[in-house]
Amino acid sequence: MNDFSEYKYGRVLRFFDAYYPYDTEDIHYSEVLLSMNNCSSIDELITIRERLKKKIKTIKAEPLSKMPKEIIEESIKFCSIHDTLYTALESNLRSDVNSCYDENVLRLLRETKEITANFCGECFLNLSDCVERSENKVLIINEAKERANIDVSDLLETIAQRYEDFRNHWTKYKGFEIGMNGYDAAKQDVEDDFEYLKQFNWRLLPEEKKEYRVIDREEIKKKEEEEKALRIAQIEKEEKERIREEQKREKERKREKREKIFNITVGVIAMIIIGVLAYYLDNWFFAILIIFLLLKAGLK
């Protein structure tokens, strides 16, 4: 078993290494975690982080009893005495995964060629814990000062405050229903916080995007435009259908008109023929009978 003592998050690496022989999935999750060190974007880091957290949730009970005792004890160390084995294990392993993730977000900041205040804000906001009293916040401030001679302390403090405000305002907003007197004001507050944070390329997980879409002005506008486009498409469809029906009726009217003219013409010709035959045969009944038989033969 590898020691992994050179990593701050060595505990989770040792756990995954010890868990692998008893796992049914042929994937070394210690290697998956270490692959964060090769990621070139925050999006890649988040994908791996969420994959690992999903794996932690699926850890089975039976392998734990077969794993080295020191690995299990280390993995639940410092947790509350009220925690079960699984809640303690999940809490510590998730914490270590977040530690690796945060470390690599800071690595991306250090590796960027040109540090900007906006990118510092982006890195800070997308850390696993965006709080005012954060060691990583201090590291970002120092990196910006040393490399770009810019002071982002006020910016990061504002981001931390707006992030906390957003969470509080969101909880307050969820307590209102449409039509309540306080609904509009509560929605305005949470929308303002959300729009402020979005400018720093805040990465939201799929479930978060789904939950917050009711206050995401960009998504709201996009939805309104989509609904408008659907209405226009429906109107155009109905108009085309109306034109087709009108053309069909016009075609039917023309056909009926031609048939009417034809019948009138045939009737006139028949009368003329009857008159001529009656004149020469001196027998109207016989003339009409001949015309009837000719017409019947013609219809066949």
Side-chain angles (χ1 to χ4, degrees), residues 2-11 13-14 34 37 103:
N2 294 315
D3 181 55
F4 299 117
S5 57
E6 69 269 31
Y7 300 101
K8 293 180 181 178
Y9 42 86
R11 173 177 57 185
L13 293 169
R14 288 187 285 273
L34 289 173
N37 296 321
E103 184 178 287

Side-chain angles (χ1 to χ4, degrees), residues 191-202:
E191 282 182 349
D192 289 344
D193 295 331
F194 189 76
E195 289 304 310
Y196 176 82
L197 296 172
K198 273 190 66 178
Q199 68 180 309
F200 298 102
N201 201 6
W202 186 17

Side-chain angles (χ1 to χ4, degrees), residues 4 37 64 76 84-85 101 155-156 181 195 220 256 259 278:
F4 299 117
N37 296 321
L64 298 180
I76 62 174
T84 65
L85 171 66
Y101 167 82
L155 173 64
L156 301 194
N181 294 328
E195 289 304 310
I220 292 172
E256 291 174 352
E259 288 183 353

